[in-house]
Amino acid sequence: MPEQTSGSSEHRTRSWQEGTATLLLVVAAVATSWSSYQATRWNGEQAAAAGRTNAVRIEASRADALAESQTQIDVATFIAWVEADRTGDARLAEFVEDRFRDEFRPAYDAWTATAPFTDPDAPPTPFAMDEYHLASQEQAEELDVRAEASAAEVRRNIQRASNYVLTVVLYAVALFFAGMSTRVSTLRLRWVLTVAGCAVFLGTLAWIATFPVSIAV
């Protein structure tokens, strides 16, 4: 009678172990599919963010090129004005001055107010004045900031995809332990493998709970 009771208890324990291992195999397989899906989604998010980053950088380059061209125009017209003014050609100086760009004129007016030709402490050119600033240059700087923020988003999405890939590996470890537990004959070892698989799975599940989720319908 005691032998039958012992055999029955061992059978129930084995049944519990097999049920636990089977459940672990099922949930780990589902979790693996979810992580694979999320890794794919975040790779897509990364690609989209990279496209936005490139678009912003192109716009920033265009704005920067425009600012450089405008600065060159301002420098050229200012040099022409200085030459005309210093040689006493008032008509030419007035002609050139009338053609100053609107963004350059405030700096020019502020610079002439400092008596640059008589005051040695005056700024050397209008370009050293605080009043000289270009909207295109400000736009380029703003776009550079946006591009860097977008690039940071790309890096975050790459890391998120990598994290989900790592969880797939961890779930595979849990599946390995669960699968091996059904192939050994020693009940104690079966439980050791099952518990190890559950520990890996639950630890991974706790970690993945902190991850952002990307879903497309």
Side-chain angles (χ1 to χ4, degrees):
M1 190 71 177
E3 293 181 359
Q4 293 180 349
T5 302
S6 176
S8 177
S9 175
E10 182 177 349
H11 177 72
R12 286 196 301 271
T13 302
R14 183 179 292 270
S15 296
W16 273 104
Q17 184 276 323
E18 290 176 350
T20 303
T22 300
L23 179 62
L24 178 58
L25 287 170
V26 172
V27 294
V30 173
T32 298
S33 298
W34 169 256
S35 289
S36 298
Y37 168 72
Q38 284 300 304
T40 302
R41 285 291 308 157
W42 284 110
N43 278 326
E45 295 284 354
Q46 172 266 322
R52 291 192 296 270
T53 301
N54 291 335
V56 174
R57 290 198 187 281
I58 290 173
E59 290 300 318
S61 297
R62 289 175 178 171
D64 190 61
L66 177 60
E68 185 176 350
S69 298
Q70 290 173 337
T71 300
Q72 291 174 352
I73 292 172
D74 293 338
V75 170
T77 53
F78 175 68
I79 291 174
W81 176 84
V82 170
E83 290 178 351
D85 182 75
R86 292 298 88 191
T87 58
D89 192 341
R91 291 184 59 186
L92 179 59
E94 183 180 356
F95 175 84
V96 175
E97 183 179 346
D98 289 341
R99 282 152 181 78
F100 285 160
R101 290 191 326 107
D102 291 339
E103 286 183 312
F104 175 67
R105 188 167 296 280
Y108 168 78
D109 292 339
W111 178 73
T112 55
T114 64
F117 297 115
T118 58
D119 186 355
D121 295 327
T125 68
F127 305 101
M129 305 298 294
D130 293 336
E131 288 80 1
Y132 185 71
H133 55 83
L134 304 177
S136 54
Q137 184 61 48
E138 294 174 354
Q139 181 185 16
E141 293 172 356
E142 179 184 350
L143 289 170
D144 283 336
V145 172
R146 286 175 52 192
E148 181 54 36
S150 185
E153 182 183 359
V154 172
R155 292 190 293 270
R156 285 194 299 270
N157 290 342
I158 291 174
Q159 185 60 53
R160 289 165 181 168
S162 298
N163 287 344
Y164 273 109
V165 170
L166 179 56
T167 62
V168 171
V169 175
L170 294 174
Y171 288 141
V173 173
L175 287 169
F176 171 77
F177 283 132
M180 287 299 298
S181 70
T182 62
R183 294 180 175 274
V184 297
S185 57
T186 305
L187 184 58
R188 182 186 298 274
L189 183 56
R190 291 168 70 99
W191 271 114
V192 168
L193 292 171
T194 302
V195 170
C198 288
V200 172
F201 175 77
L202 293 175
T204 305
L205 203 62
W207 183 38
I208 204 174
T210 64
F211 292 1
V213 174
S214 175
I215 298 177
V217 179

